[in-house]
Amino acid sequence: MYHKPIGTSREVPVEFEILEIDDLLINQLRSVVRISKTREGLLLQITADADLKTTCVRCLKEIFQPLSVEFEELYQFPSRYREKTDMILPDDGFIDLNSLYREYLILVLPIKRLCQKDCLGLCVVCGANLNETVCEHQAEVRSSADVIRREELP
Ligand SMILES: [Zn+2]
Ligand SMILES: [Zn+2]
Protein backbone atom coordinates (compact mmCIF):
# COMPACT_ATOMS: atom_id res chain seq x y z
CA MET A 1 0.00 0.00 0.00
CA TYR A 2 2.94 2.39 0.54
CA HIS A 3 3.59 2.81 -3.15
CA LYS A 4 0.01 2.78 -4.33
CA PRO A 5 -1.65 6.05 -5.44
CA ILE A 6 -3.86 8.05 -3.05
CA GLY A 7 -7.44 6.85 -3.12
CA THR A 8 -6.52 3.21 -3.53
CA SER A 9 -8.34 0.90 -1.17
CA ARG A 10 -8.75 -2.77 -0.61
CA GLU A 11 -10.61 -5.06 1.75
CA VAL A 12 -8.91 -7.73 3.74
CA PRO A 13 -10.82 -10.41 5.63
CA VAL A 14 -9.39 -11.11 9.08
CA GLU A 15 -10.31 -13.99 11.33
CA PHE A 16 -9.23 -15.02 14.80
CA GLU A 17 -10.35 -18.24 16.40
CA ILE A 18 -9.51 -16.90 19.83
CA LEU A 19 -8.50 -13.47 21.04
CA GLU A 20 -7.73 -12.87 24.70
CA ILE A 21 -8.65 -9.63 26.42
CA ASP A 22 -7.28 -9.74 29.96
CA ASP A 23 -9.14 -12.71 31.42
CA LEU A 24 -11.82 -12.73 28.74
CA LEU A 25 -11.94 -14.98 25.72
CA ILE A 26 -13.26 -13.69 22.43
CA ASN A 27 -14.15 -16.53 20.08
CA GLN A 28 -14.70 -16.69 16.35
CA LEU A 29 -13.80 -13.14 15.48
CA ARG A 30 -14.81 -12.44 11.88
CA SER A 31 -13.78 -9.13 10.47
CA VAL A 32 -13.35 -7.10 7.31
CA VAL A 33 -10.63 -4.48 7.25
CA ARG A 34 -10.95 -1.85 4.54
CA ILE A 35 -7.62 -0.12 4.01
CA SER A 36 -7.60 3.15 2.08
CA LYS A 37 -4.63 5.24 1.20
CA THR A 38 -5.24 8.93 1.87
CA ARG A 39 -2.95 11.93 1.69
CA GLU A 40 -2.23 11.63 5.44
CA GLY A 41 -1.77 7.94 5.76
CA LEU A 42 -3.67 4.69 5.77
CA LEU A 43 -7.27 4.72 6.90
CA LEU A 44 -8.53 1.47 8.38
CA GLN A 45 -12.28 0.95 8.49
CA ILE A 46 -13.09 -2.16 10.41
CA THR A 47 -16.22 -4.16 11.11
CA ALA A 48 -16.06 -7.19 13.33
CA ASP A 49 -18.35 -9.79 14.86
CA ALA A 50 -17.35 -12.17 17.59
CA ASP A 51 -18.61 -14.23 20.49
CA LEU A 52 -17.65 -13.47 24.04
CA LYS A 53 -17.13 -16.69 25.98
CA THR A 54 -18.20 -16.06 29.53
CA THR A 55 -20.36 -17.36 32.36
CA CYS A 56 -23.83 -16.33 33.44
CA VAL A 57 -23.51 -14.21 36.59
CA ARG A 58 -26.49 -15.97 38.19
CA CYS A 59 -26.25 -19.66 37.29
CA LEU A 60 -22.56 -19.81 36.23
CA LYS A 61 -23.39 -21.65 33.02
CA GLU A 62 -20.90 -21.12 30.19
CA ILE A 63 -22.40 -18.86 27.56
CA PHE A 64 -21.45 -17.12 24.34
CA GLN A 65 -22.63 -13.58 23.84
CA PRO A 66 -22.49 -11.96 20.42
CA LEU A 67 -20.38 -8.83 20.03
CA SER A 68 -20.40 -6.51 17.10
CA VAL A 69 -18.21 -3.49 16.53
CA GLU A 70 -17.42 -0.91 13.85
CA PHE A 71 -14.59 1.59 13.99
CA GLU A 72 -11.99 3.40 12.00
CA GLU A 73 -8.45 4.43 12.69
CA LEU A 74 -6.07 6.58 10.70
CA TYR A 75 -2.40 5.68 10.65
CA GLN A 76 -0.43 8.67 9.52
CA PHE A 77 2.65 8.47 7.35
CA PRO A 78 5.71 9.20 9.53
CA SER A 79 6.83 12.22 7.48
CA ARG A 80 3.48 13.96 7.84
CA TYR A 81 2.58 13.65 11.50
CA ARG A 82 2.25 16.78 13.56
CA GLU A 83 0.68 15.79 16.86
CA LYS A 84 2.20 13.37 19.29
CA THR A 85 -1.14 11.70 19.94
CA ASP A 86 -1.62 10.65 16.33
CA MET A 87 -1.14 7.06 15.36
CA ILE A 88 1.95 6.70 13.26
CA LEU A 89 2.49 3.92 10.79
CA PRO A 90 5.30 1.78 12.13
CA ASP A 91 8.45 1.61 10.01
CA ASP A 92 7.85 -1.99 9.08
CA GLY A 93 4.29 -1.18 7.96
CA PHE A 94 2.91 -3.80 10.31
CA ILE A 95 -0.23 -2.73 12.12
CA ASP A 96 -1.05 -4.61 15.31
CA LEU A 97 -4.67 -5.53 14.64
CA ASN A 98 -4.90 -7.61 17.81
CA SER A 99 -4.56 -4.61 20.05
CA LEU A 100 -6.95 -2.60 17.87
CA TYR A 101 -9.61 -5.26 18.26
CA ARG A 102 -8.96 -5.45 21.99
CA GLU A 103 -9.27 -1.72 22.39
CA TYR A 104 -12.63 -1.53 20.61
CA LEU A 105 -14.22 -4.80 21.72
CA ILE A 106 -13.72 -3.82 25.36
CA LEU A 107 -16.07 -0.90 24.71
CA VAL A 108 -18.95 -3.13 23.63
CA LEU A 109 -18.67 -5.86 26.26
CA PRO A 110 -22.08 -6.55 27.79
CA ILE A 111 -22.48 -5.35 31.38
CA LYS A 112 -25.09 -7.95 32.29
CA ARG A 113 -23.88 -11.40 31.45
CA LEU A 114 -26.92 -13.60 31.68
CA CYS A 115 -27.75 -16.88 29.93
CA GLN A 116 -31.31 -15.60 29.55
CA LYS A 117 -33.10 -12.45 30.65
CA ASP A 118 -34.95 -14.14 33.51
CA CYS A 119 -32.30 -16.64 34.60
CA LEU A 120 -33.39 -18.18 37.92
CA GLY A 121 -29.85 -18.74 39.17
CA LEU A 122 -28.71 -21.39 41.62
CA CYS A 123 -30.24 -22.70 44.81
CA VAL A 124 -28.32 -21.10 47.68
CA VAL A 125 -28.49 -24.36 49.66
CA CYS A 126 -27.58 -27.11 47.20
CA GLY A 127 -26.39 -25.20 44.16
CA ALA A 128 -28.93 -26.75 41.78
CA ASN A 129 -29.48 -24.85 38.55
CA LEU A 130 -33.06 -23.64 38.98
CA ASN A 131 -33.49 -23.13 35.24
CA GLU A 132 -33.24 -26.89 34.86
CA THR A 133 -34.70 -28.29 38.02
CA VAL A 134 -36.67 -27.52 41.17
CA CYS A 135 -34.88 -28.82 44.24
CA GLU A 136 -36.43 -29.61 47.62
CA HIS A 137 -35.16 -26.34 49.07
CA GLN A 138 -37.21 -24.30 46.66
CA ALA A 139 -40.33 -26.16 47.73
CA GLU A 140 -39.46 -25.39 51.39
CA VAL A 141 -38.98 -21.71 50.69
CA ARG A 142 -42.33 -21.59 48.99
CA SER A 143 -44.28 -23.47 51.69
CA SER A 144 -42.76 -21.45 54.54
CA ALA A 145 -43.82 -18.33 52.66
CA ASP A 146 -47.32 -19.79 52.60
CA VAL A 147 -47.18 -20.38 56.36
CA ILE A 148 -46.18 -16.81 57.05
CA ARG A 149 -48.97 -15.53 54.86
CA ARG A 150 -51.52 -17.71 56.65
CA GLU A 151 -50.29 -16.52 60.08
CA GLU A 152 -50.62 -12.93 58.99
CA LEU A 153 -54.31 -13.39 58.33
CA PRO A 154 -56.55 -11.82 61.02
ZN1 LIG B 1 -28.05 -18.20 34.03
ZN1 LIG C 1 -31.58 -26.71 46.67
Side-chain angles (χ1 to χ4, degrees), residues 138-154:
Q138 298 310 303
E140 273 172 32
V141 169
R142 246 167 258 159
S143 56
S144 57
D146 281 346
V147 171
I148 292 165
R149 245 174 268 131
R150 243 175 275 132
E151 285 171 354
E152 281 170 352
L153 287 173

mmCIF file with all atom_site columns, all heavy atoms in Angstrom, residues 138-154:
data_model
loop_
_atom_site.group_PDB
_atom_site.id
_atom_site.type_symbol
_atom_site.label_atom_id
_atom_site.label_alt_id
_atom_site.label_comp_id
_atom_site.label_asym_id
_atom_site.label_entity_id
_atom_site.label_seq_id
_atom_site.pdbx_PDB_ins_code
_atom_site.Cartn_x
_atom_site.Cartn_y
_atom_site.Cartn_z
_atom_site.occupancy
_atom_site.B_iso_or_equiv
_atom_site.pdbx_formal_charge
_atom_site.auth_seq_id
_atom_site.auth_comp_id
_atom_site.auth_asym_id
_atom_site.auth_atom_id
_atom_site.pdbx_PDB_model_num
ATOM 1   N N   . GLN A 1 138 ? -36.321 -25.290 47.244 1.00 0.00 ? 138 GLN A N   1
ATOM 2   C CA  . GLN A 1 138 ? -37.214 -24.296 46.657 1.00 0.00 ? 138 GLN A CA  1
ATOM 3   C C   . GLN A 1 138 ? -38.630 -24.536 47.149 1.00 0.00 ? 138 GLN A C   1
ATOM 4   O O   . GLN A 1 138 ? -39.358 -23.619 47.462 1.00 0.00 ? 138 GLN A O   1
ATOM 5   C CB  . GLN A 1 138 ? -37.148 -24.343 45.130 1.00 0.00 ? 138 GLN A CB  1
ATOM 6   C CG  . GLN A 1 138 ? -35.765 -24.017 44.605 1.00 0.00 ? 138 GLN A CG  1
ATOM 7   C CD  . GLN A 1 138 ? -35.198 -22.753 45.210 1.00 0.00 ? 138 GLN A CD  1
ATOM 8   O OE1 . GLN A 1 138 ? -35.817 -21.695 45.118 1.00 0.00 ? 138 GLN A OE1 1
ATOM 9   N NE2 . GLN A 1 138 ? -34.038 -22.839 45.839 1.00 0.00 ? 138 GLN A NE2 1
ATOM 10  N N   . ALA A 1 139 ? -39.010 -25.813 47.231 1.00 0.00 ? 139 ALA A N   1
ATOM 11  C CA  . ALA A 1 139 ? -40.332 -26.164 47.731 1.00 0.00 ? 139 ALA A CA  1
ATOM 12  C C   . ALA A 1 139 ? -40.483 -25.656 49.170 1.00 0.00 ? 139 ALA A C   1
ATOM 13  O O   . ALA A 1 139 ? -41.488 -25.060 49.534 1.00 0.00 ? 139 ALA A O   1
ATOM 14  C CB  . ALA A 1 139 ? -40.527 -27.673 47.667 1.00 0.00 ? 139 ALA A CB  1
ATOM 15  N N   . GLU A 1 140 ? -39.435 -25.851 49.989 1.00 0.00 ? 140 GLU A N   1
ATOM 16  C CA  . GLU A 1 140 ? -39.463 -25.390 51.390 1.00 0.00 ? 140 GLU A CA  1
ATOM 17  C C   . GLU A 1 140 ? -39.648 -23.889 51.477 1.00 0.00 ? 140 GLU A C   1
ATOM 18  O O   . GLU A 1 140 ? -40.469 -23.392 52.236 1.00 0.00 ? 140 GLU A O   1
ATOM 19  C CB  . GLU A 1 140 ? -38.136 -25.739 52.077 1.00 0.00 ? 140 GLU A CB  1
ATOM 20  C CG  . GLU A 1 140 ? -38.105 -27.118 52.682 1.00 0.00 ? 140 GLU A CG  1
ATOM 21  C CD  . GLU A 1 140 ? -36.707 -27.481 53.172 1.00 0.00 ? 140 GLU A CD  1
ATOM 22  O OE1 . GLU A 1 140 ? -35.978 -26.577 53.603 1.00 0.00 ? 140 GLU A OE1 1
ATOM 23  O OE2 . GLU A 1 140 ? -36.362 -28.671 53.097 1.00 0.00 ? 140 GLU A OE2 1
ATOM 24  N N   . VAL A 1 141 ? -38.879 -23.164 50.669 1.00 0.00 ? 141 VAL A N   1
ATOM 25  C CA  . VAL A 1 141 ? -38.979 -21.711 50.687 1.00 0.00 ? 141 VAL A CA  1
ATOM 26  C C   . VAL A 1 141 ? -40.401 -21.291 50.384 1.00 0.00 ? 141 VAL A C   1
ATOM 27  O O   . VAL A 1 141 ? -40.960 -20.427 51.042 1.00 0.00 ? 141 VAL A O   1
ATOM 28  C CB  . VAL A 1 141 ? -38.004 -21.090 49.649 1.00 0.00 ? 141 VAL A CB  1
ATOM 29  C CG1 . VAL A 1 141 ? -38.278 -19.600 49.466 1.00 0.00 ? 141 VAL A CG1 1
ATOM 30  C CG2 . VAL A 1 141 ? -36.568 -21.316 50.086 1.00 0.00 ? 141 VAL A CG2 1
ATOM 31  N N   . ARG A 1 142 ? -40.980 -21.975 49.396 1.00 0.00 ? 142 ARG A N   1
ATOM 32  C CA  . ARG A 1 142 ? -42.327 -21.593 48.988 1.00 0.00 ? 142 ARG A CA  1
ATOM 33  C C   . ARG A 1 142 ? -43.355 -21.905 50.090 1.00 0.00 ? 142 ARG A C   1
ATOM 34  O O   . ARG A 1 142 ? -44.176 -21.072 50.409 1.00 0.00 ? 142 ARG A O   1
ATOM 35  C CB  . ARG A 1 142 ? -42.706 -22.317 47.692 1.00 0.00 ? 142 ARG A CB  1
ATOM 36  C CG  . ARG A 1 142 ? -42.866 -21.347 46.543 1.00 0.00 ? 142 ARG A CG  1
ATOM 37  C CD  . ARG A 1 142 ? -42.926 -22.061 45.219 1.00 0.00 ? 142 ARG A CD  1
ATOM 38  N NE  . ARG A 1 142 ? -41.658 -21.981 44.523 1.00 0.00 ? 142 ARG A NE  1
ATOM 39  C CZ  . ARG A 1 142 ? -41.276 -22.815 43.574 1.00 0.00 ? 142 ARG A CZ  1
ATOM 40  N NH1 . ARG A 1 142 ? -42.049 -23.829 43.237 1.00 0.00 ? 142 ARG A NH1 1
ATOM 41  N NH2 . ARG A 1 142 ? -40.135 -22.658 42.967 1.00 0.00 ? 142 ARG A NH2 1
ATOM 42  N N   . SER A 1 143 ? -43.257 -23.106 50.690 1.00 0.00 ? 143 SER A N   1
ATOM 43  C CA  . SER A 1 143 ? -44.281 -23.466 51.685 1.00 0.00 ? 143 SER A CA  1
ATOM 44  C C   . SER A 1 143 ? -44.132 -22.634 52.953 1.00 0.00 ? 143 SER A C   1
ATOM 45  O O   . SER A 1 143 ? -45.126 -22.252 53.571 1.00 0.00 ? 143 SER A O   1
ATOM 46  C CB  . SER A 1 143 ? -44.237 -24.962 51.991 1.00 0.00 ? 143 SER A CB  1
ATOM 47  O OG  . SER A 1 143 ? -42.931 -25.303 52.417 1.00 0.00 ? 143 SER A OG  1
ATOM 48  N N   . SER A 1 144 ? -42.900 -22.282 53.339 1.00 0.00 ? 144 SER A N   1
ATOM 49  C CA  . SER A 1 144 ? -42.761 -21.445 54.539 1.00 0.00 ? 144 SER A CA  1
ATOM 50  C C   . SER A 1 144 ? -43.317 -20.053 54.272 1.00 0.00 ? 144 SER A C   1
ATOM 51  O O   . SER A 1 144 ? -43.861 -19.407 55.170 1.00 0.00 ? 144 SER A O   1
ATOM 52  C CB  . SER A 1 144 ? -41.303 -21.378 54.998 1.00 0.00 ? 144 SER A CB  1
ATOM 53  O OG  . SER A 1 144 ? -40.480 -20.888 53.974 1.00 0.00 ? 144 SER A OG  1
ATOM 54  N N   . ALA A 1 145 ? -43.210 -19.604 53.021 1.00 0.00 ? 145 ALA A N   1
ATOM 55  C CA  . ALA A 1 145 ? -43.817 -18.327 52.662 1.00 0.00 ? 145 ALA A CA  1
ATOM 56  C C   . ALA A 1 145 ? -45.324 -18.418 52.812 1.00 0.00 ? 145 ALA A C   1
ATOM 57  O O   . ALA A 1 145 ? -45.972 -17.492 53.303 1.00 0.00 ? 145 ALA A O   1
ATOM 58  C CB  . ALA A 1 145 ? -43.437 -17.951 51.228 1.00 0.00 ? 145 ALA A CB  1
ATOM 59  N N   . ASP A 1 146 ? -45.883 -19.585 52.445 1.00 0.00 ? 146 ASP A N   1
ATOM 60  C CA  . ASP A 1 146 ? -47.318 -19.794 52.602 1.00 0.00 ? 146 ASP A CA  1
ATOM 61  C C   . ASP A 1 146 ? -47.705 -19.718 54.066 1.00 0.00 ? 146 ASP A C   1
ATOM 62  O O   . ASP A 1 146 ? -48.696 -19.090 54.444 1.00 0.00 ? 146 ASP A O   1
ATOM 63  C CB  . ASP A 1 146 ? -47.720 -21.183 52.066 1.00 0.00 ? 146 ASP A CB  1
ATOM 64  C CG  . ASP A 1 146 ? -47.812 -21.155 50.543 1.00 0.00 ? 146 ASP A CG  1
ATOM 65  O OD1 . ASP A 1 146 ? -47.837 -20.037 49.989 1.00 0.00 ? 146 ASP A OD1 1
ATOM 66  O OD2 . ASP A 1 146 ? -47.833 -22.239 49.938 1.00 0.00 ? 146 ASP A OD2 1
ATOM 67  N N   . VAL A 1 147 ? -46.903 -20.356 54.919 1.00 0.00 ? 147 VAL A N   1
ATOM 68  C CA  . VAL A 1 147 ? -47.179 -20.381 56.359 1.00 0.00 ? 147 VAL A CA  1
ATOM 69  C C   . VAL A 1 147 ? -47.237 -18.962 56.908 1.00 0.00 ? 147 VAL A C   1
ATOM 70  O O   . VAL A 1 147 ? -48.154 -18.585 57.604 1.00 0.00 ? 147 VAL A O   1
ATOM 71  C CB  . VAL A 1 147 ? -46.091 -21.195 57.103 1.00 0.00 ? 147 VAL A CB  1
ATOM 72  C CG1 . VAL A 1 147 ? -46.235 -21.034 58.604 1.00 0.00 ? 147 VAL A CG1 1
ATOM 73  C CG2 . VAL A 1 147 ? -46.166 -22.668 56.702 1.00 0.00 ? 147 VAL A CG2 1
ATOM 74  N N   . ILE A 1 148 ? -46.223 -18.189 56.559 1.00 0.00 ? 148 ILE A N   1
ATOM 75  C CA  . ILE A 1 148 ? -46.185 -16.813 57.048 1.00 0.00 ? 148 ILE A CA  1
ATOM 76  C C   . ILE A 1 148 ? -47.448 -16.058 56.618 1.00 0.00 ? 148 ILE A C   1
ATOM 77  O O   . ILE A 1 148 ? -48.061 -15.368 57.421 1.00 0.00 ? 148 ILE A O   1
ATOM 78  C CB  . ILE A 1 148 ? -44.917 -16.084 56.521 1.00 0.00 ? 148 ILE A CB  1
ATOM 79  C CG1 . ILE A 1 148 ? -43.671 -16.713 57.166 1.00 0.00 ? 148 ILE A CG1 1
ATOM 80  C CG2 . ILE A 1 148 ? -44.972 -14.593 56.839 1.00 0.00 ? 148 ILE A CG2 1
ATOM 81  C CD1 . ILE A 1 148 ? -42.370 -16.360 56.505 1.00 0.00 ? 148 ILE A CD1 1
ATOM 82  N N   . ARG A 1 149 ? -47.798 -16.266 55.354 1.00 0.00 ? 149 ARG A N   1
ATOM 83  C CA  . ARG A 1 149 ? -48.972 -15.533 54.859 1.00 0.00 ? 149 ARG A CA  1
ATOM 84  C C   . ARG A 1 149 ? -50.232 -15.949 55.644 1.00 0.00 ? 149 ARG A C   1
ATOM 85  O O   . ARG A 1 149 ? -51.044 -15.115 55.981 1.00 0.00 ? 149 ARG A O   1
ATOM 86  C CB  . ARG A 1 149 ? -49.160 -15.784 53.356 1.00 0.00 ? 149 ARG A CB  1
ATOM 87  C CG  . ARG A 1 149 ? -48.969 -14.522 52.565 1.00 0.00 ? 149 ARG A CG  1
ATOM 88  C CD  . ARG A 1 149 ? -49.004 -14.782 51.075 1.00 0.00 ? 149 ARG A CD  1
ATOM 89  N NE  . ARG A 1 149 ? -47.699 -15.034 50.515 1.00 0.00 ? 149 ARG A NE  1
ATOM 90  C CZ  . ARG A 1 149 ? -47.403 -16.049 49.720 1.00 0.00 ? 149 ARG A CZ  1
ATOM 91  N NH1 . ARG A 1 149 ? -48.340 -16.940 49.410 1.00 0.00 ? 149 ARG A NH1 1
ATOM 92  N NH2 . ARG A 1 149 ? -46.196 -16.195 49.244 1.00 0.00 ? 149 ARG A NH2 1
ATOM 93  N N   . ARG A 1 150 ? -50.328 -17.234 55.923 1.00 0.00 ? 150 ARG A N   1
ATOM 94  C CA  . ARG A 1 150 ? -51.517 -17.710 56.646 1.00 0.00 ? 150 ARG A CA  1
ATOM 95  C C   . ARG A 1 150 ? -51.546 -17.120 58.067 1.00 0.00 ? 150 ARG A C   1
ATOM 96  O O   . ARG A 1 150 ? -52.580 -16.704 58.552 1.00 0.00 ? 150 ARG A O   1
ATOM 97  C CB  . ARG A 1 150 ? -51.519 -19.246 56.707 1.00 0.00 ? 150 ARG A CB  1
ATOM 98  C CG  . ARG A 1 150 ? -52.706 -19.847 55.984 1.00 0.00 ? 150 ARG A CG  1
ATOM 99  C CD  . ARG A 1 150 ? -52.629 -21.350 55.938 1.00 0.00 ? 150 ARG A CD  1
ATOM 100 N NE  . ARG A 1 150 ? -51.837 -21.848 54.818 1.00 0.00 ? 150 ARG A NE  1
ATOM 101 C CZ  . ARG A 1 150 ? -50.881 -22.784 54.915 1.00 0.00 ? 150 ARG A CZ  1
ATOM 102 N NH1 . ARG A 1 150 ? -50.584 -23.303 56.089 1.00 0.00 ? 150 ARG A NH1 1
ATOM 103 N NH2 . ARG A 1 150 ? -50.253 -23.189 53.865 1.00 0.00 ? 150 ARG A NH2 1
ATOM 104 N N   . GLU A 1 151 ? -50.344 -17.049 58.694 1.00 0.00 ? 151 GLU A N   1
ATOM 105 C CA  . GLU A 1 151 ? -50.288 -16.522 60.078 1.00 0.00 ? 151 GLU A CA  1
ATOM 106 C C   . GLU A 1 151 ? -50.637 -15.033 60.128 1.00 0.00 ? 151 GLU A C   1
ATOM 107 O O   . GLU A 1 151 ? -51.076 -14.532 61.138 1.00 0.00 ? 151 GLU A O   1
ATOM 108 C CB  . GLU A 1 151 ? -48.885 -16.747 60.654 1.00 0.00 ? 151 GLU A CB  1
ATOM 109 C CG  . GLU A 1 151 ? -48.643 -18.198 61.046 1.00 0.00 ? 151 GLU A CG  1
ATOM 110 C CD  . GLU A 1 151 ? -47.201 -18.476 61.397 1.00 0.00 ? 151 GLU A CD  1
ATOM 111 O OE1 . GLU A 1 151 ? -46.366 -17.568 61.219 1.00 0.00 ? 151 GLU A OE1 1
ATOM 112 O OE2 . GLU A 1 151 ? -46.914 -19.598 61.828 1.00 0.00 ? 151 GLU A OE2 1
ATOM 113 N N   . GLU A 1 152 ? -50.351 -14.377 59.026 1.00 0.00 ? 152 GLU A N   1
ATOM 114 C CA  . GLU A 1 152 ? -50.616 -12.934 58.994 1.00 0.00 ? 152 GLU A CA  1
ATOM 115 C C   . GLU A 1 152 ? -52.104 -12.612 58.892 1.00 0.00 ? 152 GLU A C   1
ATOM 116 O O   . GLU A 1 152 ? -52.519 -11.489 59.149 1.00 0.00 ? 152 GLU A O   1
ATOM 117 C CB  . GLU A 1 152 ? -49.883 -12.281 57.822 1.00 0.00 ? 152 GLU A CB  1
ATOM 118 C CG  . GLU A 1 152 ? -48.392 -12.046 58.131 1.00 0.00 ? 152 GLU A CG  1
ATOM 119 C CD  . GLU A 1 152 ? -47.635 -11.622 56.881 1.00 0.00 ? 152 GLU A CD  1
ATOM 120 O OE1 . GLU A 1 152 ? -48.194 -11.643 55.772 1.00 0.00 ? 152 GLU A OE1 1
ATOM 121 O OE2 . GLU A 1 152 ? -46.442 -11.276 57.055 1.00 0.00 ? 152 GLU A OE2 1
ATOM 122 N N   . LEU A 1 153 ? -52.872 -13.641 58.507 1.00 0.00 ? 153 LEU A N   1
ATOM 123 C CA  . LEU A 1 153 ? -54.312 -13.390 58.325 1.00 0.00 ? 153 LEU A CA  1
ATOM 124 C C   . LEU A 1 153 ? -54.949 -13.065 59.686 1.00 0.00 ? 153 LEU A C   1
ATOM 125 O O   . LEU A 1 153 ? -54.582 -13.638 60.704 1.00 0.00 ? 153 LEU A O   1
ATOM 126 C CB  . LEU A 1 153 ? -54.988 -14.629 57.737 1.00 0.00 ? 153 LEU A CB  1
ATOM 127 C CG  . LEU A 1 153 ? -54.691 -14.898 56.263 1.00 0.00 ? 153 LEU A CG  1
ATOM 128 C CD1 . LEU A 1 153 ? -55.272 -16.237 55.836 1.00 0.00 ? 153 LEU A CD1 1
ATOM 129 C CD2 . LEU A 1 153 ? -55.234 -13.780 55.382 1.00 0.00 ? 153 LEU A CD2 1
ATOM 130 N N   . PRO A 1 154 ? -55.910 -12.190 59.756 1.00 0.00 ? 154 PRO A N   1
ATOM 131 C CA  . PRO A 1 154 ? -56.555 -11.820 61.022 1.00 0.00 ? 154 PRO A CA  1
ATOM 132 C C   . PRO A 1 154 ? -57.423 -12.958 61.572 1.00 0.00 ? 154 PRO A C   1
ATOM 133 O O   . PRO A 1 154 ? -57.888 -13.780 60.821 1.00 0.00 ? 154 PRO A O   1
ATOM 134 C CB  . PRO A 1 154 ? -57.425 -10.614 60.653 1.00 0.00 ? 154 PRO A CB  1
ATOM 135 C CG  . PRO A 1 154 ? -57.595 -10.657 59.158 1.00 0.00 ? 154 PRO A CG  1
ATOM 136 C CD  . PRO A 1 154 ? -56.451 -11.447 58.606 1.00 0.00 ? 154 PRO A CD  1
#
